[in-house]
Amino acid sequence: MALRNDLLLRAARGERTERTPVWVMRQAGRVLPEYRATRARAGSFLNLVRTPELACEVTLQPVDLLGVDAAIIFSDILVIPEALGLPYTMDEGRGPHFEHTIRNEQDLLRLSASEMEGKLEYVTEAIRMTRRALDGRVPLIGFAGAPWTIFCYMTEGKGSKEFSVPRRMLMEQPALAQRLLDMITTATIEYLRAQVRAGADLVQVFDSWAGALSSDMYSRFAIPALDRIVRSFPDVPVTLFSKGAWFALEALSELPCQVIGIDWHTTPAFARKAVGENKTLQGNLDPAVLYGSPEEIRRQTREMLTAFGPRQHIANLGHGVYPDIHPDHLRCFIDTVQSYQHHQP
Ligand code: CP3
């Protein structure tokens, strides 16, 4: 099926586009009252994730209501640990929680990476439904968590400021840690392959806790897993988003991915210098700017667009949109990108 709006895919491939494409991390979520209504019908976040009709419905909401240039399938990165054998709950206001965690070899032996595709059939079914419903309006993004970030949740059992449990495991039990990282990586590749077969046009890998590691530890434990993932998708654009890891941009630029996500701690000029000329950059407006006035949102968005330049850029926030942002402020960001005219040389 030919896409009517393929700006995202052309920008990902580094091709010239009439304007900069824009989508927003967490665009399907609590920022939209329509999302909250669907979630209330689902009963819980996890029911929403596991019911393809409802996941499809909320995936389409930002396309219909905000006019973004891409849809991202509604799911969560934590479906992977669950499919490996570690169930979780999403506690209102407190985030994810795992009752069991991986601390030793016995814990690891209880996991199984077999039949990932079957266990995650509800996600691929949601992707097939969404593709049909989109009918070529915009590309559909699939995603997974990066192995390091998934490792953090499987060992710590919840979100954390320090992630001392996973970082301690890298130091005290590096061989065990590597086995768990390898297992997560294998499962993630199978999962992303299934998403692509179901109709995802591009895949993004979220390494949300990259910034918990030093440059050296990130190169040793996180980069090799990302390298394995990227090399498994020679024909699909892949975006790597390592949040808080400005120090890893050079190492990431050596992987055969097409797009690198940039958080708001990193300036566009620094990112471009570290990454070089061969990749598209995605980002990076500070999500807190959307608390500002429309004038201020327009000013900072235009400044960002100028700094990245007219090519090899996909506009986004530097991380997910905060749930208490007014939808009109999010619209203001999107409209500013879509109406911006670069001074073409
Ligand atoms: O971007 C999108 O619009 C697609 C949907 C999406 C969700 N989670 C939905 C969601 C994506 C891409 C994710 C990825 C995800 N999940 C990440 C990586 C991206 C990032 O933000 O760094 C992480 C770390 C998670 C794990 C997770 N899931 C956390 C920490 C939370 C927050 C808990 C809270 O209460 O704020 C979630 C829940 C979650 N995932 C929500 C949504 C819309 C909110 C749940 C709700 O509806 O209350």
Side-chain angles (χ1 to χ4, degrees):
M1 184 197 328
L3 282 164
R4 272 166 277 158
N5 174 350
D6 63 351
L7 289 170
L8 178 94
L9 299 180
R10 281 155 56 208
R13 291 192 295 254
E15 294 167 19
R16 202 177 276 277
T17 51
E18 306 79 79
R19 62 168 175 83
T20 301
V22 58
W23 70 280
V24 176
M25 289 186 274
R26 290 280 172 94
Q27 64 189 17
R30 284 171 292 184
V31 72
L32 292 175
E34 292 81 0
Y35 167 83
R36 292 197 294 268
T38 311
R39 198 188 116 155
R41 267 200 286 138
S44 71
F45 172 73
L46 290 182
N47 274 345
L48 184 50
V49 166
R50 290 175 193 143
T51 311
E53 292 76 14
L54 298 178
C56 169
E57 184 177 309
V58 294
T59 301
L60 297 171
Q61 284 170 352
V63 178
D64 294 333
L65 301 164
L66 302 170
V68 284
D69 294 310
I72 178 163
I73 192 64
F74 187 81
S75 187
D76 204 89
I77 61 170
L78 301 176
V79 301
I80 283 282
E82 181 179 62
L84 289 172
L86 283 191
Y88 69 105
T89 54
M90 191 63 77
D91 306 338
E92 188 68 45
R94 284 194 302 153
H97 177 81
F98 289 85
E99 193 188 335
H100 302 286
T101 55
I102 307 299
R103 300 286 165 99
N104 54 44
E105 169 140 35
Q106 284 68 42
D107 295 334
L108 185 71
L109 289 173
R110 270 182 231 118
L111 301 176
S112 160
S114 68
E115 310 249 358
M116 293 305 286
E117 190 168 354
K119 290 177 196 157
L120 293 162
E121 173 77 31
Y122 60 90
V123 181
T124 44
E125 180 56 22
I127 291 177
R128 283 186 292 270
M129 291 180 73
T130 305
R131 265 287 281 227
R132 276 198 298 277
L134 279 173
D135 192 29
R137 274 186 289 165
V138 290
L140 178 59
I141 303 171
F143 73 89
W148 160 248
T149 288
I150 298 300
F151 177 91
C152 284
Y153 282 106
M154 292 180 77
T155 53
E156 187 87 37
K158 55 182 174 6
S160 158
K161 276 206 181 69
E162 306 278 332
F163 283 107
S164 51
V165 175
R167 289 161 71 218
R168 178 176 179 168
M169 195 184 279
L170 295 187
M171 297 306 300
E172 284 183 348
Q173 308 182 77
L176 181 76
Q178 193 58 59
R179 278 168 63 194
L180 179 53
L181 283 163
D182 288 344
M183 184 183 212
I184 297 167
T185 307
T186 301
T188 301
I189 291 169
E190 194 186 325
Y191 177 47
L192 288 174
R193 278 211 179 104
Q195 293 189 39
V196 170
R197 272 197 300 273
D201 297 293
L202 176 151
V203 295
Q204 173 155 332
V205 181
F206 287 89
D207 212 351
S208 306
W209 308 120
L213 290 179
S214 68
S215 176
D216 177 58
M217 294 298 266
Y218 198 74
S219 295
R220 280 161 58 194
F221 290 98
I223 294 279
L226 293 174
D227 190 35
R228 256 186 77 196
I229 294 173
V230 173
R231 284 179 199 285
S232 303
F233 296 91
D235 303 319
V236 185
V238 178
T239 300
L240 298 178
F241 178 46
S242 297
K243 183 170 182 292
W246 55 272
F247 52 78
L249 288 175
E250 230 176 288
L252 292 171
S253 75
E254 283 160 24
L255 309 186
C257 64
Q258 285 67 29
V259 185
I260 295 182
I262 307 296
D263 63 43
W264 74 94
H265 305 290
T266 308
T267 63
F270 179 94
R272 182 49 79 196
K273 190 152 182 281
V275 166
E277 299 301 319
N278 293 331
K279 295 199 195 299
T280 293
L281 300 177
Q282 175 174 278
N284 77 338
L285 191 76
D286 177 354
V289 169
L290 301 191
Y291 289 117
S293 65
E295 295 72 44
E296 185 62 14
I297 294 168
R298 280 192 283 273
R299 191 185 70 74
Q300 293 212 33
T301 302
R302 289 185 189 129
E303 209 166 84
M304 172 194 78
L305 291 164
T306 311
F308 278 105
R311 290 186 65 175
Q312 295 179 303
H313 180 223
I314 297 165
N316 205 313
L317 302 178
H319 198 200
V321 60
Y322 301 137
D324 58 350
I325 292 294
H326 196 289
D328 285 346
H329 286 205
L330 186 53
R331 270 188 204 101
C332 177
F333 167 66
I334 293 159
D335 293 346
T336 303
V337 176
Q338 293 180 337
S339 59
Y340 186 78
Q341 292 288 326
H342 279 283
H343 301 287
Q344 301 276 357

